[in-house]
Amino acid sequence: MRQLIVHYWKEKVRSPFWQKSIFLNILLGFVAIYLILNFIALSLFADKILLNAYPNQSVIFSFSKILFYYFLLDIVFRFFMQQLPVISIQPYLTLPIRKRTLLHFPLIRSVFSFFNLLGLVLIIPFFIKVIASTETVSYSLCWLITVISLIFINNFINFFLKKSFSKKPLVVIVLVALIGLLLFMDVTGTVSISIVFANFLSNVSLSGFWVLVPLATLFFFYYLAYALLKNNAYIESPENKVNANIGKFRTLSNKGVIGSLIGSELKLILRNKRPKSVLYLSAFFLLYGFIFYNELYLDKIYMLAFVGLFVTSALAIIYYQYVFSWESSFFDTFLVQKISANNFVASKYYLFALMCTVSYLITLPYAFINYKIAIVNTAMFLFNVGISSIIIFYSGTFSVSFIDLGKSQFMNYQGTGAHHFIMMIPLFGLPLLIIWLFDSFGMKDYGIYALGIIGALAIIFHKYCINFVSHQLVRQKYRMACGFRE
Amino acid sequence: MIEISNLSKVYGKKFSLTIPTLAINKNELVGLVGNNGAGKTTLLSLMLDLIPATNGFVKSKGMAVSKSEDWKNYTGSYLNERFLIPYLTPTEFFEFIGGLHGKNASDIALFLKENEAFFKEDAYDKTYIRDLSAGNKNKVGILAAILPKPEILILDEPFANLDPSSQLWLKSKLKELNNNGVTIVVSSHDLKHVTEICSRILILDNGKLVKDIPTNSNSLKELENYFNVSSI
């Protein structure tokens, strides 16, 4: 077991990703600390806040109700974001280590995940300040055990959900919808499960004996996760991976080199886990409009432009931020085959334009909210196709890290580098700067027209833009290929 | 056909490949042998412009491969898995490569039919390349390299992971291609294969070209002696 921990640690520390992007890790570290501090503060002042909001209820009761919401949302967030600790089991299977140890290891490791820590910092300050100081010892103890069990029940439920449903998007949608419905009914007061939950929590704590129920549930879910891992502990035979998804896009290959490159890239998106999950993720960005298109923001031209930039290019920007990294595992193919850099970039440019067009058309109905949106989005659409594409492609030539196409996108920073953060400056800054220039001369709305015209010009002269990127690609190709091979 | 002059590639302090001069003539079948780390793959990668040379250059038909891309039109190559597109089926991959050289689906079907003994394509037409076994990936890569009817063929360890009948097939295929005028460079660890098919053998050791010999009936003995001595 100790050896396993050492190996796990080495795997993490020696992974090229960790060693390369220290910058990104520091950034993530700050976000984590910020979240933890927020949760501690929230927990410490929860009694005051809750007393203000619900003066008629006991603070513990209100807190329990809030916990119910927290646990529900926790499951959803865990499902999408928590990475299960996987130690690649294959090299150990034939060694004289008991299989049971190998299976318990990832389960126990998952106990130390960030999500569990978040749950604990939300509960413990409140527990010390409010419960432990006012209630009896047995009550406090039972309360704490129950709540902590619930956190870890979520942890192990997630194993179960991830292993069984991650390949079936429909089930995920149903699950999210179900939780949403529960929350909705609770908030509107139709059926309030949170009250049931809060009562349950207080009864369990009062009775003492019943604390065995959450504990038993915890062990049940632990066992369930264990059984699941055990079933998956055999190396999968590749013969099972037969697919029927062939023969598509064949017509594209009749359209010359660029056509077959586009066809190949479409297959890349549809047949690999990570690009596919990018597609799902970007669908959420299309919904951004519902948050921002309201009275509060409709007069703010900067905000409209910003949201317009995003919703008309959601697919393209998110997918193409890894523009050349997607091909990292077979980048050498493009170096030795009869494919010019120009055609390679051009195929990506046309697909980028296609994706923008799709998201532009999908989001056009937002114009029913206000006609302004149609104007802004059209301008931003032209700007995206003409200028944003070139900024993103240019930045893509600086990527040197390998991407594993088979992993999920959520909380996956493989392939992310400092250039992504630098890229954001011109990507978002340039359009806002142009609007600001016009704004400072008192011609606010003309900024938008200017963006549209600049974009249209760039589209007309797209051959030059593509040339510009492909020259850069040729300059960078050895460096990129060398990084991708690692 | 291929000329190398003053070529060197330096990796840190530990390893460097230096080849003052080497010319590979048209219609030669050159075998490249050497122990692990001798620089075989580095040399082949330099010939294909996959890595930049520290000094000097490789010329193909008189043009430096790092300057002009013309060599891509007449050079077929397979070094490793990174030459394959993992999410395509073998057929789609052949069509993709063939398409770049103006071949249509029926040309490719004919080509695959001719080489059916090596790779039975219809047995794997529903499998993505990433799910193929190492030997089958190797076969797909080799076929994709000879599909465009190249004038120069560069293969790294083509016999690795192949079953016995495929090894025999590949040997006779390489000879046949060579008889039809194709210039071939193959690296291999198998001295027997190399002496059987190659007309010229190069031995690399620690980044240096230590032997350059034409093949004759004594070659196998000579090679075996060489590697025996150097390993002790």
Short mmCIF file of all heavy atoms in Angstrom, two decimals, chain A residues 289-337:
data_model
loop_
_atom_site.label_atom_id
_atom_site.label_comp_id
_atom_site.label_asym_id
_atom_site.label_seq_id
_atom_site.Cartn_x
_atom_site.Cartn_y
_atom_site.Cartn_z
N GLY A 289 -26.90 34.02 -23.24
CA GLY A 289 -27.79 35.13 -23.55
C GLY A 289 -28.91 35.29 -22.54
O GLY A 289 -29.29 36.40 -22.19
N PHE A 290 -29.41 34.15 -22.02
CA PHE A 290 -30.53 34.23 -21.08
C PHE A 290 -30.13 34.92 -19.79
O PHE A 290 -30.96 35.50 -19.10
CB PHE A 290 -31.07 32.83 -20.78
CG PHE A 290 -31.84 32.26 -21.93
CD1 PHE A 290 -31.40 31.14 -22.60
CD2 PHE A 290 -33.03 32.88 -22.33
CE1 PHE A 290 -32.12 30.64 -23.67
CE2 PHE A 290 -33.75 32.37 -23.40
CZ PHE A 290 -33.29 31.25 -24.07
N ILE A 291 -28.83 34.86 -19.46
CA ILE A 291 -28.37 35.52 -18.24
C ILE A 291 -28.19 37.01 -18.47
O ILE A 291 -28.55 37.84 -17.64
CB ILE A 291 -27.04 34.91 -17.76
CG1 ILE A 291 -27.18 33.40 -17.63
CG2 ILE A 291 -26.58 35.54 -16.45
CD1 ILE A 291 -25.88 32.69 -17.33
N PHE A 292 -27.64 37.36 -19.65
CA PHE A 292 -27.19 38.73 -19.82
C PHE A 292 -28.16 39.62 -20.61
O PHE A 292 -28.08 40.84 -20.52
CB PHE A 292 -25.82 38.76 -20.49
CG PHE A 292 -24.75 38.25 -19.58
CD1 PHE A 292 -24.22 36.99 -19.73
CD2 PHE A 292 -24.28 39.06 -18.54
CE1 PHE A 292 -23.24 36.52 -18.88
CE2 PHE A 292 -23.30 38.60 -17.69
CZ PHE A 292 -22.78 37.33 -17.86
N TYR A 293 -29.02 39.02 -21.42
CA TYR A 293 -29.92 39.85 -22.19
C TYR A 293 -31.13 40.25 -21.35
O TYR A 293 -32.20 39.69 -21.46
CB TYR A 293 -30.37 39.13 -23.46
CG TYR A 293 -29.26 38.96 -24.47
CD1 TYR A 293 -29.19 37.83 -25.27
CD2 TYR A 293 -28.29 39.95 -24.64
CE1 TYR A 293 -28.17 37.67 -26.19
CE2 TYR A 293 -27.27 39.79 -25.56
CZ TYR A 293 -27.21 38.65 -26.32
OH TYR A 293 -26.21 38.50 -27.23
N ASN A 294 -30.94 41.21 -20.46
CA ASN A 294 -32.07 41.74 -19.71
C ASN A 294 -31.87 43.24 -19.52
O ASN A 294 -30.84 43.80 -19.94
CB ASN A 294 -32.22 41.01 -18.38
CG ASN A 294 -30.94 41.06 -17.58
OD1 ASN A 294 -30.24 42.07 -17.59
ND2 ASN A 294 -30.63 39.98 -16.90
N GLU A 295 -32.83 43.89 -18.90
CA GLU A 295 -32.79 45.36 -18.81
C GLU A 295 -31.48 45.90 -18.25
O GLU A 295 -31.00 46.95 -18.62
CB GLU A 295 -33.94 45.85 -17.93
CG GLU A 295 -35.15 46.28 -18.71
CD GLU A 295 -36.24 45.21 -18.66
OE1 GLU A 295 -36.80 45.05 -17.57
OE2 GLU A 295 -36.49 44.55 -19.66
N LEU A 296 -30.91 45.10 -17.36
CA LEU A 296 -29.70 45.55 -16.67
C LEU A 296 -28.57 45.82 -17.64
O LEU A 296 -27.77 46.73 -17.49
CB LEU A 296 -29.28 44.47 -15.67
CG LEU A 296 -28.63 44.94 -14.40
CD1 LEU A 296 -29.59 45.82 -13.61
CD2 LEU A 296 -28.24 43.72 -13.57
N TYR A 297 -28.49 44.98 -18.69
CA TYR A 297 -27.31 45.03 -19.56
C TYR A 297 -27.60 45.56 -20.96
O TYR A 297 -26.69 45.86 -21.70
CB TYR A 297 -26.70 43.64 -19.68
CG TYR A 297 -26.17 43.10 -18.39
CD1 TYR A 297 -26.80 42.06 -17.72
CD2 TYR A 297 -25.03 43.66 -17.82
CE1 TYR A 297 -26.31 41.58 -16.54
CE2 TYR A 297 -24.53 43.19 -16.63
CZ TYR A 297 -25.17 42.13 -15.99
OH TYR A 297 -24.67 41.66 -14.82
N LEU A 298 -28.89 45.63 -21.34
CA LEU A 298 -29.19 45.92 -22.74
C LEU A 298 -28.65 47.26 -23.20
O LEU A 298 -28.40 47.48 -24.37
CB LEU A 298 -30.70 45.83 -23.00
CG LEU A 298 -31.17 44.42 -23.34
CD1 LEU A 298 -32.66 44.39 -23.54
CD2 LEU A 298 -30.46 43.88 -24.57
N ASP A 299 -28.47 48.21 -22.25
CA ASP A 299 -27.95 49.51 -22.64
C ASP A 299 -26.44 49.56 -22.63
O ASP A 299 -25.84 50.51 -23.11
CB ASP A 299 -28.51 50.59 -21.70
CG ASP A 299 -29.94 50.89 -22.06
OD1 ASP A 299 -30.28 50.70 -23.25
OD2 ASP A 299 -30.71 51.29 -21.17
N LYS A 300 -25.84 48.56 -22.05
CA LYS A 300 -24.38 48.58 -21.94
C LYS A 300 -23.76 47.92 -23.17
O LYS A 300 -23.74 46.71 -23.31
CB LYS A 300 -23.94 47.85 -20.67
CG LYS A 300 -24.50 48.48 -19.41
CD LYS A 300 -23.65 48.10 -18.22
CE LYS A 300 -24.04 48.86 -16.97
NZ LYS A 300 -25.36 48.44 -16.44
N ILE A 301 -23.23 48.76 -24.03
CA ILE A 301 -22.75 48.26 -25.32
C ILE A 301 -21.57 47.32 -25.15
O ILE A 301 -21.43 46.34 -25.88
CB ILE A 301 -22.41 49.45 -26.25
CG1 ILE A 301 -22.26 48.97 -27.68
CG2 ILE A 301 -21.17 50.17 -25.81
CD1 ILE A 301 -23.58 48.75 -28.35
N TYR A 302 -20.72 47.57 -24.15
CA TYR A 302 -19.56 46.70 -23.94
C TYR A 302 -19.99 45.29 -23.61
O TYR A 302 -19.49 44.31 -24.11
CB TYR A 302 -18.67 47.24 -22.81
CG TYR A 302 -18.02 48.55 -23.14
CD1 TYR A 302 -18.53 49.74 -22.64
CD2 TYR A 302 -16.89 48.60 -23.95
CE1 TYR A 302 -17.93 50.95 -22.96
CE2 TYR A 302 -16.29 49.80 -24.26
CZ TYR A 302 -16.81 50.97 -23.76
OH TYR A 302 -16.23 52.15 -24.08
N MET A 303 -20.98 45.26 -22.72
CA MET A 303 -21.47 43.95 -22.29
C MET A 303 -22.11 43.21 -23.46
O MET A 303 -21.87 42.02 -23.66
CB MET A 303 -22.51 44.18 -21.18
CG MET A 303 -22.70 43.01 -20.30
SD MET A 303 -21.16 42.63 -19.43
CE MET A 303 -21.49 40.93 -19.05
N LEU A 304 -22.91 43.94 -24.24
CA LEU A 304 -23.55 43.31 -25.40
C LEU A 304 -22.51 42.76 -26.36
O LEU A 304 -22.64 41.64 -26.87
CB LEU A 304 -24.44 44.32 -26.12
CG LEU A 304 -25.81 44.59 -25.54
CD1 LEU A 304 -26.60 45.48 -26.47
CD2 LEU A 304 -26.55 43.28 -25.31
N ALA A 305 -21.46 43.55 -26.59
CA ALA A 305 -20.42 43.12 -27.53
C ALA A 305 -19.74 41.87 -26.99
O ALA A 305 -19.48 40.92 -27.72
CB ALA A 305 -19.40 44.23 -27.72
N PHE A 306 -19.47 41.90 -25.69
CA PHE A 306 -18.77 40.78 -25.07
C PHE A 306 -19.59 39.49 -25.17
O PHE A 306 -19.10 38.45 -25.59
CB PHE A 306 -18.49 41.14 -23.61
CG PHE A 306 -17.65 40.14 -22.90
CD1 PHE A 306 -16.30 40.02 -23.18
CD2 PHE A 306 -18.21 39.31 -21.94
CE1 PHE A 306 -15.52 39.10 -22.53
CE2 PHE A 306 -17.43 38.37 -21.28
CZ PHE A 306 -16.09 38.26 -21.58
N VAL A 307 -20.86 39.62 -24.80
CA VAL A 307 -21.73 38.44 -24.88
C VAL A 307 -21.90 38.00 -26.33
O VAL A 307 -21.88 36.81 -26.64
CB VAL A 307 -23.10 38.73 -24.22
CG1 VAL A 307 -24.02 37.53 -24.37
CG2 VAL A 307 -22.91 39.07 -22.76
N GLY A 308 -22.00 38.99 -27.23
CA GLY A 308 -22.14 38.69 -28.65
C GLY A 308 -20.94 37.91 -29.16
O GLY A 308 -21.07 36.93 -29.89
N LEU A 309 -19.76 38.36 -28.75
CA LEU A 309 -18.53 37.67 -29.13
C LEU A 309 -18.60 36.21 -28.72
O LEU A 309 -18.24 35.31 -29.46
CB LEU A 309 -17.34 38.34 -28.45
CG LEU A 309 -15.96 37.78 -28.76
CD1 LEU A 309 -15.38 38.49 -29.96
CD2 LEU A 309 -15.02 37.91 -27.59
N PHE A 310 -19.11 36.00 -27.53
CA PHE A 310 -19.12 34.66 -26.98
C PHE A 310 -20.17 33.76 -27.61
O PHE A 310 -19.87 32.66 -28.01
CB PHE A 310 -19.34 34.74 -25.46
CG PHE A 310 -18.26 34.05 -24.72
CD1 PHE A 310 -17.01 34.61 -24.61
CD2 PHE A 310 -18.49 32.80 -24.17
CE1 PHE A 310 -16.00 33.95 -23.97
CE2 PHE A 310 -17.48 32.13 -23.51
CZ PHE A 310 -16.24 32.71 -23.41
N VAL A 311 -21.40 34.26 -27.68
CA VAL A 311 -22.45 33.36 -28.15
C VAL A 311 -22.35 33.06 -29.64
O VAL A 311 -22.76 32.00 -30.09
CB VAL A 311 -23.89 33.84 -27.81
CG1 VAL A 311 -24.10 33.90 -26.32
CG2 VAL A 311 -24.18 35.15 -28.49
N THR A 312 -21.76 33.99 -30.42
CA THR A 312 -21.66 33.69 -31.86
C THR A 312 -20.44 32.85 -32.18
O THR A 312 -20.21 32.52 -33.33
CB THR A 312 -21.61 34.97 -32.72
OG1 THR A 312 -20.45 35.70 -32.34
CG2 THR A 312 -22.84 35.81 -32.52
N SER A 313 -19.64 32.53 -31.18
CA SER A 313 -18.46 31.74 -31.51
C SER A 313 -18.22 30.66 -30.47
O SER A 313 -17.13 30.11 -30.39
CB SER A 313 -17.24 32.63 -31.58
OG SER A 313 -16.94 33.10 -30.29
N ALA A 314 -19.25 30.38 -29.67
CA ALA A 314 -19.06 29.45 -28.55
C ALA A 314 -18.37 28.17 -28.98
O ALA A 314 -17.35 27.77 -28.43
CB ALA A 314 -20.40 29.15 -27.90
N LEU A 315 -18.93 27.53 -30.03
CA LEU A 315 -18.35 26.27 -30.50
C LEU A 315 -16.91 26.46 -30.91
O LEU A 315 -16.01 25.77 -30.45
CB LEU A 315 -19.13 25.79 -31.72
CG LEU A 315 -20.50 25.20 -31.53
CD1 LEU A 315 -21.13 24.97 -32.89
CD2 LEU A 315 -20.38 23.90 -30.79
N ALA A 316 -16.72 27.45 -31.79
CA ALA A 316 -15.42 27.61 -32.43
C ALA A 316 -14.33 27.97 -31.43
O ALA A 316 -13.27 27.37 -31.42
CB ALA A 316 -15.53 28.66 -33.52
N ILE A 317 -14.61 28.95 -30.56
CA ILE A 317 -13.54 29.42 -29.66
C ILE A 317 -13.12 28.32 -28.71
O ILE A 317 -11.93 28.07 -28.50
CB ILE A 317 -14.00 30.67 -28.88
CG1 ILE A 317 -13.98 31.88 -29.79
CG2 ILE A 317 -13.06 30.92 -27.70
CD1 ILE A 317 -14.21 33.18 -29.09
N ILE A 318 -14.08 27.62 -28.15
CA ILE A 318 -13.71 26.62 -27.15
C ILE A 318 -13.01 25.44 -27.80
O ILE A 318 -12.03 24.92 -27.29
CB ILE A 318 -14.96 26.17 -26.37
CG1 ILE A 318 -15.52 27.36 -25.62
CG2 ILE A 318 -14.61 25.08 -25.38
CD1 ILE A 318 -16.80 27.07 -24.93
N TYR A 319 -13.49 25.04 -28.95
CA TYR A 319 -12.84 23.91 -29.62
C TYR A 319 -11.47 24.30 -30.14
O TYR A 319 -10.48 23.59 -29.94
CB TYR A 319 -13.72 23.40 -30.76
CG TYR A 319 -13.04 22.33 -31.57
CD1 TYR A 319 -12.89 21.05 -31.05
CD2 TYR A 319 -12.53 22.60 -32.84
CE1 TYR A 319 -12.24 20.07 -31.77
CE2 TYR A 319 -11.89 21.62 -33.57
CZ TYR A 319 -11.74 20.37 -33.02
OH TYR A 319 -11.09 19.39 -33.73
N TYR A 320 -11.39 25.45 -30.77
CA TYR A 320 -10.14 25.79 -31.45
C TYR A 320 -9.09 26.41 -30.56
O TYR A 320 -8.01 26.74 -31.02
CB TYR A 320 -10.42 26.69 -32.65
CG TYR A 320 -10.74 25.87 -33.88
CD1 TYR A 320 -11.92 26.02 -34.57
CD2 TYR A 320 -9.82 24.93 -34.32
CE1 TYR A 320 -12.20 25.25 -35.68
CE2 TYR A 320 -10.08 24.16 -35.42
CZ TYR A 320 -11.27 24.31 -36.09
OH TYR A 320 -11.53 23.55 -37.18
N GLN A 321 -9.38 26.58 -29.27
CA GLN A 321 -8.29 27.05 -28.42
C GLN A 321 -7.17 26.00 -28.39
O GLN A 321 -6.03 26.30 -28.08
CB GLN A 321 -8.77 27.37 -27.01
CG GLN A 321 -9.42 26.20 -26.33
CD GLN A 321 -9.78 26.50 -24.90
OE1 GLN A 321 -9.02 27.10 -24.18
NE2 GLN A 321 -10.97 26.09 -24.49
N TYR A 322 -7.52 24.75 -28.72
CA TYR A 322 -6.49 23.71 -28.81
C TYR A 322 -6.20 23.37 -30.26
O TYR A 322 -5.97 22.21 -30.60
CB TYR A 322 -6.96 22.46 -28.07
CG TYR A 322 -7.28 22.68 -26.63
CD1 TYR A 322 -8.57 22.56 -26.15
CD2 TYR A 322 -6.27 23.03 -25.74
CE1 TYR A 322 -8.86 22.78 -24.82
CE2 TYR A 322 -6.55 23.26 -24.41
CZ TYR A 322 -7.84 23.13 -23.96
OH TYR A 322 -8.12 23.35 -22.64
N VAL A 323 -6.23 24.39 -31.11
CA VAL A 323 -6.31 24.14 -32.55
C VAL A 323 -5.34 23.09 -33.07
O VAL A 323 -5.77 22.14 -33.70
CB VAL A 323 -6.24 25.46 -33.33
CG1 VAL A 323 -5.08 26.30 -32.92
CG2 VAL A 323 -6.20 25.22 -34.81
N PHE A 324 -4.04 23.21 -32.79
CA PHE A 324 -3.14 22.20 -33.35
C PHE A 324 -2.87 21.07 -32.37
O PHE A 324 -2.34 20.04 -32.75
CB PHE A 324 -1.83 22.84 -33.82
CG PHE A 324 -2.06 23.90 -34.85
CD1 PHE A 324 -1.84 25.23 -34.56
CD2 PHE A 324 -2.54 23.56 -36.11
CE1 PHE A 324 -2.08 26.21 -35.52
CE2 PHE A 324 -2.78 24.53 -37.06
CZ PHE A 324 -2.56 25.86 -36.76
N SER A 325 -3.25 21.28 -31.12
CA SER A 325 -3.00 20.22 -30.12
C SER A 325 -3.90 19.02 -30.33
O SER A 325 -3.55 17.92 -29.93
CB SER A 325 -3.23 20.75 -28.71
OG SER A 325 -2.54 21.93 -28.50
N TRP A 326 -5.08 19.24 -30.91
CA TRP A 326 -5.96 18.08 -31.13
C TRP A 326 -5.25 17.01 -31.92
O TRP A 326 -5.45 15.82 -31.72
CB TRP A 326 -7.23 18.49 -31.88
CG TRP A 326 -8.17 19.33 -31.10
CD1 TRP A 326 -8.66 20.55 -31.47
CD2 TRP A 326 -8.78 19.04 -29.83
NE1 TRP A 326 -9.52 21.02 -30.52
CE2 TRP A 326 -9.60 20.13 -29.50
CE3 TRP A 326 -8.68 17.98 -28.95
CZ2 TRP A 326 -10.34 20.18 -28.33
CZ3 TRP A 326 -9.41 18.03 -27.78
CH2 TRP A 326 -10.23 19.12 -27.47
N GLU A 327 -4.41 17.44 -32.86
CA GLU A 327 -3.72 16.47 -33.72
C GLU A 327 -2.38 16.06 -33.12
O GLU A 327 -1.57 15.46 -33.80
CB GLU A 327 -3.49 17.06 -35.10
CG GLU A 327 -4.73 17.04 -35.98
CD GLU A 327 -5.40 18.40 -36.05
OE1 GLU A 327 -4.95 19.31 -35.33
OE2 GLU A 327 -6.37 18.54 -36.80
N SER A 328 -2.15 16.38 -31.83
CA SER A 328 -0.81 16.17 -31.29
C SER A 328 -0.35 14.73 -31.39
O SER A 328 0.83 14.48 -31.59
CB SER A 328 -0.72 16.66 -29.86
OG SER A 328 -1.69 16.02 -29.07
N SER A 329 -1.27 13.76 -31.26
CA SER A 329 -0.80 12.38 -31.26
C SER A 329 -0.42 11.91 -32.67
O SER A 329 0.20 10.87 -32.81
CB SER A 329 -1.85 11.46 -30.65
OG SER A 329 -3.04 11.52 -31.39
N PHE A 330 -0.79 12.64 -33.68
CA PHE A 330 -0.38 12.22 -35.03
C PHE A 330 0.05 13.41 -35.87
O PHE A 330 -0.11 13.43 -37.08
CB PHE A 330 -1.51 11.45 -35.73
CG PHE A 330 -2.83 12.17 -35.71
CD1 PHE A 330 -3.25 12.88 -36.80
CD2 PHE A 330 -3.64 12.10 -34.61
CE1 PHE A 330 -4.47 13.55 -36.80
CE2 PHE A 330 -4.85 12.77 -34.59
CZ PHE A 330 -5.26 13.48 -35.68
N PHE A 331 0.65 14.39 -35.20
CA PHE A 331 1.10 15.60 -35.88
C PHE A 331 2.13 15.27 -36.97
O PHE A 331 2.16 15.91 -38.01
CB PHE A 331 1.70 16.57 -34.85
CG PHE A 331 1.89 17.97 -35.35
CD1 PHE A 331 0.80 18.77 -35.63
CD2 PHE A 331 3.16 18.47 -35.54
CE1 PHE A 331 0.97 20.06 -36.10
CE2 PHE A 331 3.35 19.77 -36.00
CZ PHE A 331 2.25 20.57 -36.27
N ASP A 332 2.94 14.23 -36.71
CA ASP A 332 3.96 13.84 -37.69
C ASP A 332 3.36 13.50 -39.04
O ASP A 332 3.99 13.69 -40.08
CB ASP A 332 4.76 12.64 -37.16
CG ASP A 332 5.70 13.05 -36.04
OD1 ASP A 332 5.80 14.27 -35.78
OD2 ASP A 332 6.31 12.17 -35.42
N THR A 333 2.12 12.98 -39.02
CA THR A 333 1.45 12.66 -40.27
C THR A 333 1.43 13.88 -41.20
O THR A 333 1.71 13.78 -42.38
CB THR A 333 -0.01 12.25 -40.02
OG1 THR A 333 -0.02 11.31 -38.96
CG2 THR A 333 -0.64 11.63 -41.25
N PHE A 334 1.10 15.03 -40.60
CA PHE A 334 0.99 16.22 -41.43
C PHE A 334 2.35 16.72 -41.90
O PHE A 334 2.44 17.44 -42.88
CB PHE A 334 0.25 17.32 -40.67
CG PHE A 334 -1.14 16.92 -40.31
CD1 PHE A 334 -1.48 16.60 -39.02
CD2 PHE A 334 -2.11 16.82 -41.30
CE1 PHE A 334 -2.75 16.19 -38.70
CE2 PHE A 334 -3.39 16.40 -40.99
CZ PHE A 334 -3.71 16.09 -39.69
N LEU A 335 3.40 16.34 -41.16
CA LEU A 335 4.74 16.78 -41.56
C LEU A 335 5.27 15.99 -42.74
O LEU A 335 6.04 16.51 -43.54
CB LEU A 335 5.71 16.68 -40.38
CG LEU A 335 5.40 17.58 -39.19
CD1 LEU A 335 6.49 17.45 -38.14
CD2 LEU A 335 5.30 19.03 -39.62
N VAL A 336 4.90 14.69 -42.85
CA VAL A 336 5.49 13.90 -43.93
C VAL A 336 4.54 13.70 -45.10
O VAL A 336 4.96 13.26 -46.15
CB VAL A 336 5.96 12.51 -43.44
CG1 VAL A 336 7.08 12.66 -42.43
CG2 VAL A 336 4.83 11.70 -42.89
N GLN A 337 3.24 14.00 -44.91
CA GLN A 337 2.33 13.78 -46.03
C GLN A 337 2.27 15.00 -46.92
O GLN A 337 2.70 16.09 -46.56
CB GLN A 337 0.93 13.43 -45.53
CG GLN A 337 0.84 12.08 -44.85
CD GLN A 337 1.18 10.94 -45.79
OE1 GLN A 337 1.17 11.09 -47.00
NE2 GLN A 337 1.53 9.79 -45.22
#
